[in-house]
Amino acid sequence: MPESFNQFMLQETVLNIGFDDTDSPKGMCTTFLAYKIVDLLQKQKTEFLDFPRLIRFNPNIPWKTRGNGAVSLKIKTKNPSKIKNQIKNLVSKYSDIKNGANPGLVFFESDTIPAEFIEFSNLALWQLIKRDHAKKFAEKNNLEFFYQGNGQGLVGAIGAIGYDFQDHTLELLSYRKRAKFGKERKLSSQSVKIMQEKTFPNTFNSFDTKKGRVLITPHGPDPVFYGVRGENVDSLVYATTILKSDEKLDGYMIFKSNQGTGDHLKNELNFENMKPYASGQITGTVSNTPKIEKGGHVFFKILSKNHEFWCAVYKPTGISSVASNLIKGDKICVGGGVRKASKKFSRIINLEFIDVISLAKNLAKTNPRCKLCNKRMKSKGKNQGFQCIRCGRKSSKKTIVEISRKVKKQLYIPELSAHRHLTRPLQRIGKSNKTSKFDKSLSWFCVYGN
Ligand SMILES: [Zn+2]
């Protein structure tokens, strides 16, 4: 073997691994597969260059798995082909194909991520990307890729590698032992409440104090016991010491994520790009009187750059009353997902936030007030004018009064219980995480002993 070839063999290479859509509503979970892969790599003393990355893509596409989340890993290795084979095996083993998973797996050897990847990922965050487009992208860029089922998972697998964080959060996911999969999760809700109080604002969305509800435990059969979201490793690990449960867990892993960043709504929607399932924001003026439909859902129109768009605010978001109190002329910025046209409505934006920029004056006509008695005059009949019943004083026309507004000039976001993975919680408004840099010495991965 020539010496140069030998040296090449020993050289370390940076390997990016992306995978998605390995889960189904009936069980398993892409993050658990990631935990298994990392466990295997850790045992081989693989060097990790970043946290495992958990990326949530456009939440408004119809065929997403539970959270539309994909995972990518960035490692340094001298033996990429061995690692690729191991991972291929784990992906087939842990993908729930018979229950509808469409796993995709992508390998990309490079320390830097080309702009095309970032662009692809950015589009997957707010648009609907067809799987054929992902397949073409993979072929064009000479990626090593594998898929089963229809290959929808390739979109997230490529997107997870390409995601360019402007802001991020972390999530500590703890996993159950196999014997407990599908069993009820018993976690002291009091301990979750205390944990939230002690770690605020370095954790978020753990406990809904209004409804007294624990938000960190999933309800499905998947292997996750709980997931705590926050800003840095120390706060998350500290949180696990406060949480109380009798169940012996398998371990935990901390992911770097775009959850809680609101990034899917950054893109500006307009007449041209407002295709079904797109997500984004739009600024304009309320152009009709909001209608309250059965169930308390509110519908209104917004005029933006000479086009009108329907907006819907559903009751469970907790901001339908804000929408119903908007009036013509209010200037607002709204964000959400575009729903396909139905018989009743053309394309409609399902709102995930309402930011009131300026309020119109709410003027109304009322019967005039008698200046002597300070009483409202009574109408004498149609076009007959008004008269004070106490002193008989008359007036010919109604007066205009300004009615105080029930909406304020502020940002309104849904109630905690209606938050999506990507929703930016109030405590993170105007902030971005710059503290949680990856460092090998951090305890971002742990398998508990028996
Ligand atoms: Zn009077």
Side-chain angles (χ1 to χ4, degrees):
M1 195 181 286
E3 200 180 51
S4 61
F5 185 66
N6 214 358
Q7 267 172 354
F8 172 74
M9 288 292 287
L10 288 170
Q11 239 168 35
E12 286 194 315
T13 160
V14 173
L15 177 61
N16 298 278
I17 306 147
F19 47 97
D20 185 25
D21 211 344
T22 66
D23 48 358
S24 77
K26 284 198 168 165
M28 277 308 141
C29 154
T30 302
T31 74
F32 181 65
L33 169 61
Y35 172 72
K36 286 290 172 192
I37 291 173
V38 170
D39 187 29
L40 180 88
L41 297 177
Q42 287 276 29
K43 282 174 184 153
Q44 300 169 22
K45 307 254 181 291
T46 307
E47 186 185 344
F48 282 80
L49 301 175
D50 198 359
F51 293 101
R53 297 148 48 104
L54 168 61
I55 313 298
R56 304 287 179 180
F57 288 106
N58 189 358
N60 296 309
I61 60 169
W63 53 70
K64 60 173 181 173
T65 48
R66 278 161 300 166
N68 202 13
V71 172
S72 75
L73 306 170
K74 189 172 191 173
I75 60 169
K76 210 177 234 182
T77 175
K78 281 180 185 164
N79 197 344
S81 51
K82 179 181 151 201
I83 284 181
K84 286 173 193 170
N85 278 324
Q86 289 174 326
I87 292 176
K88 270 188 263 177
N89 290 336
L90 280 176
V91 170
S92 339
K93 184 177 164 193
Y94 284 99
S95 292
D96 200 0
I97 295 155
K98 64 177 185 299
N99 284 314
N102 294 295
L105 170 64
V106 170
F107 297 114
F108 180 58
E109 280 182 52
S110 171
D111 193 12
T112 54
I113 303 297
E116 296 93 314
F117 265 89
I118 296 170
E119 206 175 299
F120 182 99
S121 185
N122 187 29
L123 287 180
L125 188 62
W126 67 273
Q127 281 187 357
L128 181 150
I129 307 285
K130 296 206 165 109
R131 47 186 180 262
D132 285 342
H133 179 61
K135 285 172 195 167
K136 276 186 198 135
F137 180 93
E139 277 158 15
K140 198 179 144 207
N141 291 281
N142 281 322
L143 304 182
E144 279 178 76
F145 67 99
F146 307 90
Y147 66 86
Q148 284 173 286
N150 65 20
Q152 189 58 42
L154 283 178
V155 176
I158 298 166
I161 291 175
Y163 199 82
D164 187 23
F165 286 100
Q166 303 301 313
D167 176 26
H168 69 270
T169 60
L170 299 180
E171 180 165 18
L172 182 150
L173 284 165
S174 72
Y175 297 99
R176 318 180 80 177
K177 289 189 180 293
R178 185 164 285 275
K180 287 285 186 180
F181 290 5
K183 304 247 166 72
E184 191 196 343
R185 294 170 179 84
K186 284 182 183 152
L187 176 66
S188 149
S189 60
Q190 185 62 18
S191 74
V192 180
K193 192 170 171 248
I194 293 169
M195 179 276 280
Q196 176 158 283
E197 285 160 9
K198 287 195 172 174
T199 56
F200 181 90
N202 290 317
T203 63
F204 61 90
N205 290 16
S206 301
F207 191 79
D208 185 347
T209 42
K210 239 191 208 166
K211 296 190 171 165
R213 259 182 55 198
V214 169
L215 301 171
I216 59 174
T217 48
H219 301 286
D222 63 87
V224 172
F225 188 67
Y226 59 68
V228 185
R229 293 160 185 208
E231 310 290 339
N232 59 66
V233 171
D234 287 348
S235 300
L236 294 178
V237 174
Y238 173 53
T240 66
T241 66
I242 304 170
L243 297 172
K244 285 201 166 50
S245 171
D246 291 333
E247 185 169 330
K248 286 238 183 313
L249 300 172
D250 195 73
Y252 73 77
M253 186 153 89
I254 294 178
F255 292 85
K256 178 177 176 177
S257 180
N258 62 350
Q259 295 170 153
T261 65
D263 277 358
H264 66 307
L265 301 177
K266 273 196 314 200
N267 167 71
E268 202 147 317
L269 291 173
N270 54 45
F271 185 73
E272 284 75 34
N273 70 16
M274 202 172 298
K275 306 223 168 79
Y277 317 120
S279 301
Q281 58 175 271
I282 187 164
T283 301
T285 310
V286 176
S287 58
N288 70 344
T289 301
K291 298 174 183 170
I292 306 171
E293 300 271 309
K294 249 190 205 163
H297 313 308
V298 177
F299 296 81
F300 66 92
K301 280 193 280 187
I302 178 174
L303 178 71
S304 178
K305 291 176 186 154
N306 297 320
H307 291 283
E308 267 187 326
F309 306 94
W310 275 104
C311 298
V313 182
Y314 297 100
K315 178 88 175 168
T317 59
I319 54 171
S320 57
S321 63
V322 174
S324 66
N325 282 307
L326 292 171
I327 59 168
K328 254 188 187 172
D330 285 343
K331 194 174 178 200
I332 56 175
C333 172
V334 294
V338 180
R339 203 179 68 185
K340 233 175 144 169
S342 66
K343 270 186 200 154
K344 207 167 162 194
F345 287 105
S346 51
R347 280 175 304 186
I348 192 162
I349 315 167
N350 292 338
L351 299 195
E352 297 173 36
F353 76 75
I354 302 172
D355 193 3
V356 179
I357 299 165
S358 68
L359 290 166
K361 278 188 176 165
N362 193 9
L363 302 174
K365 283 182 181 168
T366 63
N367 291 6
R369 201 176 272 281
C370 171
K371 283 186 184 125
L372 281 175
C373 316
N374 199 28
K375 283 232 130 285
R376 284 247 181 261
M377 294 183 178
K378 281 256 150 48
S379 168
K380 291 173 70 186
K382 208 178 175 195
N383 299 325
Q384 305 281 307
F386 303 88
Q387 189 169 32
C388 176
I389 49 164
R390 196 175 283 179
C391 71
R393 216 181 144 99
K394 285 179 187 169
S395 174
S396 60
K397 357 184 236 297
K398 288 200 170 197
T399 49
I400 291 170
V401 290
E402 189 177 341
I403 299 168
S404 69
R405 300 292 311 272
K406 287 178 183 151
V407 186
K408 293 196 181 95
K409 225 166 79 177
Q410 65 162 81
L411 171 70
Y412 293 94
I413 66 166
E415 278 181 15
L416 262 189
S417 54
H419 278 206
R420 322 182 83 158
H421 291 300
L422 278 154
T423 305
R424 182 177 274 270
L426 275 180
Q427 74 188 74
R428 299 200 81 251
I429 301 290
K431 285 184 191 170
S432 79
N433 191 337
K434 293 188 175 72
T435 57
S436 62
K437 285 246 160 60
F438 183 75
D439 173 348
K440 279 178 275 186
S441 67
L442 292 168
S443 35
W444 59 276
F445 177 79
C446 177
V447 176
Y448 299 125
N450 298 317

